[in-house]
Amino acid sequence: MTTPPIDPDFCVTTIAGTGSYLPERILTNADLQHMVDTSDEWITTRTGIKERRIAAEGQSTSDMAAEAARRAMESANVTADDLDLIIVATVSPDMFFPATACLVQDKIGARNAIAFDISAACSGFLFAMQVARHFINTGNRRTVLVIGAEKLSSLVNWDDRNTCVLFGDGAGAAVLKRIDNGGDQPGRVVSTVMGTDGSLAHLLRVPGGGAACPITPDNADQRLNTIHMEGRETFKHAVTRMCHASEEALAKAGLKASDVTLLIPHQANHRIISAIGERLGVPAERTFVNLDRYGNTSAATIPIALDEARRSGRLKRGDIVLLVAFGGGFTWASSVIAW
Ligand code: UT7
């Protein structure tokens, strides 16, 4: 068993519990065949997705986030009163403001917590985890709820076959805790790296609806307030950036890809996941995939996968877990967790 060293720049932060929530309604590839010119065969071979979850009428991002949060708190054995910070990573907030994190704070009754959102698209959960780690490191906060939650069905152009087959709704959460004695604990965050390249923002975005391009009766029919993506270009950057980020996070932790027990990559496309595994040298049986059931839930993919891996017994003491994500911005991030 390899025990990575404790980063001297940080006190020990651990993932003390995880939770996730997926809405009940399932939209299959067969359903999509009736909506746009597509086929189960195309979606399966090009993406690996078979079905995705869609939030119920009236169910918002904060509702799903709050449910994932309750499950994470239960698994971490903390109460809402114990929380002193809530960070929600999302690109599909309930509204521009207040932050979705404020709405979650109210829904779960976390009266002692400060709360704010982070917008880093599919890398949002890992960005939020690192921000939480900095708060914990300064001694400022001890028990932090980090959530990735998305209702992407509200941002999808359901007439665009290039994008509508890819995305789904859901939420995942983790409770991060400061460990004072500096000892080794399961779920220890060992290293994190993050990156951004705003010059490529145009390749994956929702161009309208914000201050730069408010939706008006004149431009509403152009569907500018939905997801626009240059799929092929995004694909190439996703593979390159996630491989480099993974290598950097491992190097920072003093580890090699052969030490990785479980790779949990952002779930966007099975071809991207396979390419990363091949380049890093992590075999498929050590790679977590639930993309077939949920599609791409942006900031929620990693915490949902982490929760499923933990609950299904795939995380054991001594395991080295490599998390890696890539998304609009572009943004990317990778974290090594010692379980
Ligand atoms: O989460 C953030 C990061 N996101 C990603 O990393 C996503 C990255 N991109 C991808 O996963 C892939 O680029 C896609 C799955 C989005 C697309 O796969 P692709 O192999 O790059 O296909 P393409 O966009 O190059 O399109 C190939 C063909 C086109 O037809 P023509 O022009 O060759 O006749 C598309 O019109 O496939 C067509 N096509 C479809 N056909 C059936 C595109 N979408 C569909 C569809 N069903 N849903």
Side-chain angles (χ1 to χ4, degrees):
M1 186 195 297
T2 316
T3 306
I6 290 172
D7 187 338
D9 294 340
F10 282 91
C11 70
V12 171
T13 294
T14 61
I15 299 175
T18 62
S20 59
Y21 172 81
L22 278 310
E24 277 170 32
R25 188 179 152 209
I26 295 173
L27 185 70
T28 66
N29 291 350
D31 296 329
L32 281 162
Q33 284 177 195
H34 300 295
M35 297 163 63
V36 286
D37 179 16
T38 192
S39 64
D40 174 46
E41 200 267 331
W42 191 95
I43 302 171
T44 305
T45 54
R46 304 309 293 166
T47 74
I49 301 166
K50 297 299 281 183
E51 54 188 49
R52 66 289 291 144
R53 300 298 179 97
I54 303 293
E57 188 83 25
Q59 190 175 34
S60 65
T61 299
S62 66
D63 292 328
M64 294 186 282
E67 194 46 45
R70 288 184 195 102
R71 295 173 187 184
M73 287 190 292
E74 196 186 343
S75 103
N77 203 17
V78 301
T79 67
D81 284 342
D82 295 328
L83 300 176
D84 45 27
L85 169 61
I86 300 170
I87 309 177
V88 174
T90 187
V91 290
S92 47
D94 284 14
M95 52 195 90
F96 277 140
F97 73 89
T100 300
C102 300
L103 307 175
V104 171
Q105 183 222 26
D106 182 49
K107 283 179 182 170
I108 63 174
R111 290 161 299 187
N112 304 320
I114 60 163
F116 58 85
D117 287 359
I118 277 187
S119 174
C122 306
S123 312
F125 181 78
L126 294 185
F127 271 52
M129 244 180 42
Q130 182 69 344
V131 171
R133 196 171 167 223
H134 278 283
F135 267 96
I136 287 172
N137 197 45
T138 57
N140 198 292
R141 306 282 144 174
R142 303 189 63 84
T143 311
V144 184
L145 177 63
V146 180
I147 305 172
E150 303 285 6
K151 185 179 172 182
L152 295 178
S153 59
S154 66
L155 290 180
V156 162
N157 176 356
W158 291 103
D159 296 326
D160 176 15
R161 70 173 183 173
N162 290 293
T163 51
C164 77
V165 303
L166 305 173
F167 300 104
D169 301 336
V175 173
L176 267 54
K177 276 175 103 170
R178 177 189 172 99
I179 303 298
D180 280 326
N181 62 14
D184 196 25
Q185 297 275 336
R188 174 164 64 93
V189 183
V190 182
S191 68
T192 295
V193 298
M194 305 190 292
T196 300
D197 184 353
S199 73
L200 299 173
H202 57 284
L203 295 176
L204 176 52
R205 61 184 178 158
V206 175
C213 178
I215 295 302
T216 63
D218 288 341
N219 68 18
D221 55 352
Q222 294 170 43
R223 314 295 290 273
L224 295 175
N225 56 339
T226 62
I227 297 171
H228 289 57
M229 178 169 69
E230 301 289 336
R232 257 183 233 183
E233 276 302 301
T234 303
F235 188 111
K236 280 189 268 176
H237 289 284
V239 174
T240 310
R241 291 300 190 184
M242 282 198 276
C243 285
H244 286 160
S246 300
E247 284 161 356
E248 270 183 56
L250 284 168
K252 217 172 157 186
L255 298 170
K256 302 183 293 300
S258 55
D259 296 315
V260 174
T261 333
L262 191 64
L263 167 65
I264 302 185
H266 172 50
Q267 309 280 312
N269 187 312
H270 78 95
R271 291 181 290 138
I272 294 177
I273 294 173
S274 304
I276 298 169
E278 271 164 37
R279 286 200 200 175
L280 291 178
V282 178
E285 60 272 18
R286 284 198 265 132
T287 304
F288 194 89
V289 178
N290 59 10
L291 171 77
D292 50 327
R293 288 177 286 136
Y294 307 138
N296 181 349
T297 56
S298 189
T301 66
I302 295 222
I304 292 171
L306 186 63
D307 184 50
E308 288 198 337
R310 190 186 64 76
R311 283 175 201 269
S312 63
R314 280 193 76 175
L315 299 181
K316 300 198 175 52
R317 193 80 169 103
D319 278 359
I320 299 295
V321 183
L322 179 64
L323 311 176
V324 62
F326 177 88
F330 284 142
T331 56
W332 56 90
S334 180
S335 271
V336 173
I337 314 292
W339 215 266

